[in-house]
Amino acid sequence: MKKYFLSLFALPLFCFAQEEPINPALLGLGQAFFFDKSLSHNKTQSCSTCHMPAAAFADLRENDIDKMVSQGDDPTKFGNRNTPTAIYAKYSPDFHFDEKIKDYVGGQFWDGRAKNLAEQAGGPPLNPVEMGMKDKASVVKRIAENQAVKDYITKHWGEEIWQDDEKIYAIMEQALAAFQQLDLFSQFSSKYDRTLAGEDKFTDQEVLGKALFFDKEKTTCSNCHQMNEKDHREETFTNYRYFNLGVPKNETLIAHNKLGEDWVDNGLLDNPMVKGDIAQKGKFKVPTLRNVAVTAPYMHNGVFKELRTVLLFLDSHNNPERKINPETGKPWSAAEYAPTISHSDLKGKPLTDAEIDALEAFLKTLTDAAYDKGGE
């Protein structure tokens, strides 16, 4: 991954998934902020700590909760949700209610509470279980302590900008959002992409897996994990909507974080933009399947360790033979929150073991070349 570490303030312009051009002054600044641990309370954590460039921008650090969620700058504090990959995040539209489909779409975080990448970037530094800074003024003070960064900001935005902490904080947010527009965060270099381009070829098993994935009568995969027409070269394998899949409670996580036996993650309901609509409780944003094979654990609460387990769990909604969670050896636990389960979107036909194998094989073709150990 060293080839992706670009020189500070000397980043070239790449292709962007947006209409408006990015201010070039923000790009190198964004890289500086992304790797700057001084922006956390104890100076031990940066954006790259939980979004590791060498790990498809997910958090693969070992911790005492088996990597289900991330450990914060304060090592005694952990999040309640699995850290999603930052890769391909720029393709998510701004959070909004789509009048045509009568549903919420887009945003950042599992509950979409950040409207866009800039808003998302401003969250972790102030989150007590992440980077733990007291307030924006404290973050700005740390930014100013880096003389090279301070001089750079002054050069491009003027000395007077330092009189307004809100403006400096906004520059940090915009710079981090700009940095994530780089092709580094949207490589489209997987076997799937190479095969679409005629540069590689699927195995027979992968061909079957792809056919199953896009077959809306046979499986439910593409109900949530398809945005464009089939074989679109920039398919991110998510429709950026919110669903309740009936995911079991993560009892280990609940006990570890001392959340209480009755604790339920509200999901989308926690997003202030849904204005307390109880029908959104228990719904979570559909994640990209790009690099899914190398970004375990899975689901919003990190309850599943293996990709195959996810497939077996989803099949269990339609297949009475899928009674046992292979990771526990016990029946699937009850849904964390049952009232809003998206039954219609989960309805499909029972799958055989061979079909599960084929789907898993196809999903592994979505791993970008930089992270595909099997392709080395």
Side-chain angles (χ1 to χ4, degrees), residues 1 9 40 45 62-63 65 74 137 179-180 196 199-200 223 232 237 240 245 247 259 291 312 346 351-352 359:
M1 288 300 296
F9 306 145
S40 63
Q45 192 172 67
E62 296 291 341
N63 58 36
I65 192 63
D74 178 342
F179 180 54
Q180 292 179 74
L196 285 187
E199 300 168 356
D200 208 332
N223 287 348
H232 190 282
F237 294 92
Y240 302 103
L245 303 183
V247 175
L259 297 171
N291 299 298
L312 294 172
L346 290 166
L351 300 176
T352 66
L359 279 169

Side-chain angles (χ1 to χ4, degrees), residues 266-288:
N266 287 328
L268 184 56
L269 181 62
D270 282 343
N271 185 328
M273 289 177 277
V274 308
K275 301 177 181 179
D277 180 3
I278 193 66
Q280 309 311 319
K281 185 172 181 177
K283 295 181 180 181
F284 295 88
K285 185 182 176 185
V286 178
T288 179

Side-chain angles (χ1 to χ4, degrees), residues 118-327:
E119 284 190 15
Q120 185 279 326
L126 304 180
N127 191 327
V129 301
E130 293 186 71
M131 297 168 77
M133 295 295 282
K134 179 181 178 181
D135 50 33
K136 291 182 180 180
S138 301
V139 176
V140 171
K141 183 178 179 181
R142 292 283 181 87
I143 292 173
E145 289 174 357
N146 185 323
Q147 193 62 51
V149 170
K150 184 177 182 180
D151 290 346
Y152 187 84
I153 291 175
T154 301
K155 175 183 176 181
H156 288 276
W157 285 275
E159 183 69 41
E160 66 280 359
I161 195 77
W162 292 100
Q163 303 303 312
D164 191 326
D165 290 341
E166 289 287 339
K167 290 183 178 179
I168 294 293
Y169 201 85
I171 287 173
M172 180 196 73
E173 293 176 321
Q174 293 161 12
L176 285 166
F179 180 54
Q180 292 179 74
Q181 300 296 327
L182 294 176
D183 283 355
L184 169 61
F185 288 87
S186 53
Q187 298 171 28
F188 293 107
S189 61
S190 68
K191 182 176 183 179
Y192 173 82
D193 300 296
R194 297 193 303 272
T195 300
L196 285 187
E199 300 168 356
D200 208 332
K201 186 178 181 180
F202 286 140
T203 65
D204 290 344
Q205 186 182 52
E206 291 163 352
V207 169
L208 173 60
K210 180 184 177 184
L212 286 167
F213 184 92
F214 289 107
D215 186 343
K216 293 184 181 296
E217 293 186 2
K218 183 70 173 177
T219 71
T220 62
C221 308
S222 58
N223 287 348
C224 303
H225 290 286
Q226 184 179 3
M227 186 67 177
N228 305 294
E229 69 276 9
K230 187 178 177 182
D231 291 341
H232 190 282
R233 70 179 186 85
E234 289 191 343
E235 177 61 66
T236 53
F237 294 92
T238 168
N239 59 10
Y240 302 103
R241 292 172 63 186
Y242 295 79
F243 297 92
N244 180 350
L245 303 183
V247 175
K249 278 188 176 183
N250 188 334
E251 301 289 357
T252 301
L253 175 62
I254 289 173
H256 180 275
N257 286 0
K258 299 179 173 62
L259 297 171
E261 293 183 3
D262 297 329
W263 182 83
V264 171
D265 191 329
N266 287 328
L268 184 56
L269 181 62
D270 282 343
N271 185 328
M273 289 177 277
V274 308
K275 301 177 181 179
D277 180 3
I278 193 66
Q280 309 311 319
K281 185 172 181 177
K283 295 181 180 181
F284 295 88
K285 185 182 176 185
V286 178
T288 179
L289 293 182
R290 293 275 180 175
N291 299 298
V292 67
V294 295
T295 51
Y298 302 103
M299 319 313 279
H300 67 276
N301 55 7
V303 69
F304 297 139
K305 298 178 182 179
E306 303 292 336
L307 180 57
R308 183 179 177 80
T309 306
V310 178
L311 295 172
L312 294 172
F313 167 72
L314 294 173
D315 188 44
S316 73
H317 286 287
N318 303 298
N319 190 341
E321 299 300 317
R322 304 288 185 200
K323 298 179 180 180
I324 303 298
N325 179 343
E327 295 182 6

